[in-house]
Structures are given as structure tokens and as C-alpha cells.
Amino acid sequence: ASNGDGIYMSLVLKISDDVKDYTILTAAAVLSAIENLTSKKPLVKWVNDIYLDNKKICGILVEHLLSSNSIIIGVGLNFNISNFPIALREKAGSLFTNETPTITRESLIAEIWSQFNRLSTSQDFFEIYKSHSFILGKTVEFEESGRTIIGTATDLTETGELIVNSDGLVKVLSSGEISLKKWLWYRLIVSELFSRHNKTVVLFLTYYSNESIGLRDKQILIFGITKSSKNPSRRDGLSIERPQKTKHR
């Protein structure tokens, strides 16, 4: 970013036993500061990213210095950036984009650390963080021991760990990267079919929109779905053959 387009700051302080998670505290402070000074409605993606309009505008990094019982809190926030590299345009955003900022960087910085100081003396920051999460209730994907796990993010522990339910198996994540799975309806349908059938199933799906799949109205996709024996590592044990386009009659 060019000079004046972003906020990049660090804070070094002694660890307090009263604060259970500094990442969540800092995120809550950033969320509160933005909402106090603007009409923007930011959200948080577990565990340390702030989003606005489905794009990341802020990242938070907390590093522990064990030798001195201290931490370094780093905050990087895109304040007023309009032009991003092509590779980032679909993912990165800014607090103000193609508009005149209604606040200054200095006022936002002051408000962030004011909220940080205020929230650090109570546990309100956890509820602020949780209420701004756009992950809870969503289907997520993450890696564990080289395997891809898919489940539903159901809750947070009091120390900020993410609770994920994967087919009845509860996983508690303390750190790591997760990704949202936007559409898993086909998996749910297929799982339901195979719970009652142990043979090849032909699934007919009718689409009435041609914007996303390039088909004419009321065309049908035919999926041949079979039990997979060639790839036993697949969690769902399914293989989906190439769809065939068939006109609706």
C-alpha cells in the first residue's frame, strides 16, 4: 500500500492472567472501534481476520515472547485502498474504497487502543467477537494430519477455540486456517441417498438459472454416482462422474 493508505502497528505488553486470548481481544477492539466511528459493519473470520463486504480488510498477529513473559500484537488494516493487485482483488478489501474517508487514520488508531484498554478489564470482548463471527453455523473445511475435514462450525470455547461438528465427531481447533464451503448441498443429498441405497444412483437436478452453469432454462444435469473403491481415502466414499447435459422434455 502507498503511504497513508493503511495502518500497520505493533504493541508490546506484559501478559496478563486476566486476558484469556489476546487475538480475540484485539479483534473485538478493532470491530468496536470501526463501528463506533463509522457506519460500517465488519465481521470476523476465525481466528484473526476482519472482513467487510466479504473481503479481508484487517489481519491480526500475536506472538509470545516466552523469555520475557510478553507479547507482540501486530495489526495491519487496509484503510483507504482502491487498487489491489489482480491476484488479490477478489479477496482483499479496504475500510474505505472509492470513497472519501469519514475519519482519519489517527482517530481510528486511538479508538482501537482505547477499546483494547477498556475491553481488557472485562470479558465483554469475547461476546463482541462471537456476535460478529460469520463462521458460526457455516460449513467449513480444514486440514488435519494431511486429511481434509469438512464440518459445521458450531461454537467457540471460552478461550476462543473453534468447535466443529463433522458427521457427529466434534473437533476443537485452537489455531490454523479454515475455508468456507459455499455449497455442499450435493454432498448432503448424496449422503442421504446412500444411507438407503447400496447401489448406483442416478441423481436428477433441475436448474432454472443459467447464470452460473451455462445451461438453458429447464435443462437437467444427470450425475452417475457410485460407491468408490478406488479411492478409499475419500471421506464420503463417493465418486461423481462427469455430468451429461440433457434437454428437459
Side-chain angles (χ1 to χ4, degrees):
S2 304
N3 291 335
D5 291 342
I7 295 175
Y8 315 101
M9 54 188 177
S10 298
L11 176 69
V12 180
L13 73 164
K14 293 290 185 180
I15 296 175
S16 170
D17 293 333
D18 295 331
V19 178
K20 295 181 180 180
D21 193 299
Y22 279 96
T23 299
I24 290 181
L25 169 59
T26 306
V30 173
L31 293 166
S32 298
I34 291 174
E35 291 188 340
N36 286 349
L37 297 180
T38 75
S39 60
K40 310 285 187 179
K41 300 298 181 184
L43 296 173
V44 62
K45 176 190 172 187
W46 187 85
V47 60
N48 59 342
D49 294 331
I50 307 297
Y51 275 64
L52 184 65
D53 298 329
N54 297 317
K55 293 183 178 182
K56 180 179 174 179
I57 66 167
C58 177
I60 298 164
L61 180 63
V62 177
E63 294 186 357
H64 290 257
L65 304 176
L66 299 179
S67 59
S68 60
N69 196 36
S70 300
I71 60 171
I72 300 176
I73 301 174
V75 177
L77 188 148
N78 296 334
F79 182 76
N80 183 25
I81 302 176
S82 298
N83 296 315
F84 290 94
I86 294 177
L88 298 177
R89 287 177 185 173
E90 297 300 317
K91 301 178 181 179
S94 180
L95 182 58
F96 298 99
T97 305
N98 297 321
E99 60 182 307
T100 301
T102 57
I103 59 175
T104 64
R105 291 190 305 156
E106 291 77 11
S107 62
L108 181 56
I109 292 170
E111 183 66 14
I112 288 173
W113 296 121
S114 174
Q115 291 299 314
F116 181 92
N117 184 62
R118 179 183 70 83
L119 293 170
S120 65
T121 60
S122 71
Q123 292 302 312
D124 291 345
F125 67 85
F126 180 79
E127 291 303 323
I128 292 173
Y129 181 96
K130 185 175 179 179
S131 66
H132 285 76
S133 171
F134 68 79
I135 291 297
L136 296 182
K138 299 292 195 308
T139 301
V140 299
E141 180 179 279
F142 61 93
E143 296 290 330
E144 182 182 76
S145 302
R147 295 175 61 242
T148 298
I149 307 295
I150 296 175
T152 302
T154 59
D155 205 352
L156 296 170
T157 68
E158 63 178 10
T159 54
E161 297 164 312
L162 184 66
I163 301 174
V164 177
N165 188 315
S166 177
D167 290 340
L169 183 64
V170 177
K171 300 282 186 179
V172 180
L173 309 181
S174 58
S175 62
E177 179 68 18
I178 61 172
S179 61
L180 281 172
K181 301 298 291 181
K182 292 183 178 179
W183 302 110
L184 285 177
W185 48 267
Y186 71 87
R187 184 186 297 273
L188 298 176
I189 294 173
V190 171
S191 296
E192 177 63 22
L193 286 171
F194 272 117
S195 69
R196 293 175 293 182
H197 303 276
N198 190 27
K199 58 185 179 180
T200 298
V201 176
V202 177
L203 178 64
F204 294 86
L205 301 174
T206 303
Y207 288 89
Y208 291 92
S209 171
N210 59 7
E211 294 180 357
S212 59
I213 58 176
L215 297 178
R216 295 179 181 177
D217 289 350
K218 296 188 178 180
Q219 283 187 326
I220 295 177
L221 290 181
I222 299 179
F223 288 85
I225 306 173
T226 61
K227 285 279 188 175
S228 174
S229 58
K230 295 181 179 180
N231 189 3
S233 64
R234 285 280 300 277
R235 186 181 69 85
D236 53 15
L238 304 178
S239 64
I240 301 181
E241 299 172 1
R242 184 179 182 86
Q244 304 172 14
K245 297 181 181 179
T246 304
K247 290 185 178 180
H248 183 273
R249 299 183 183 275

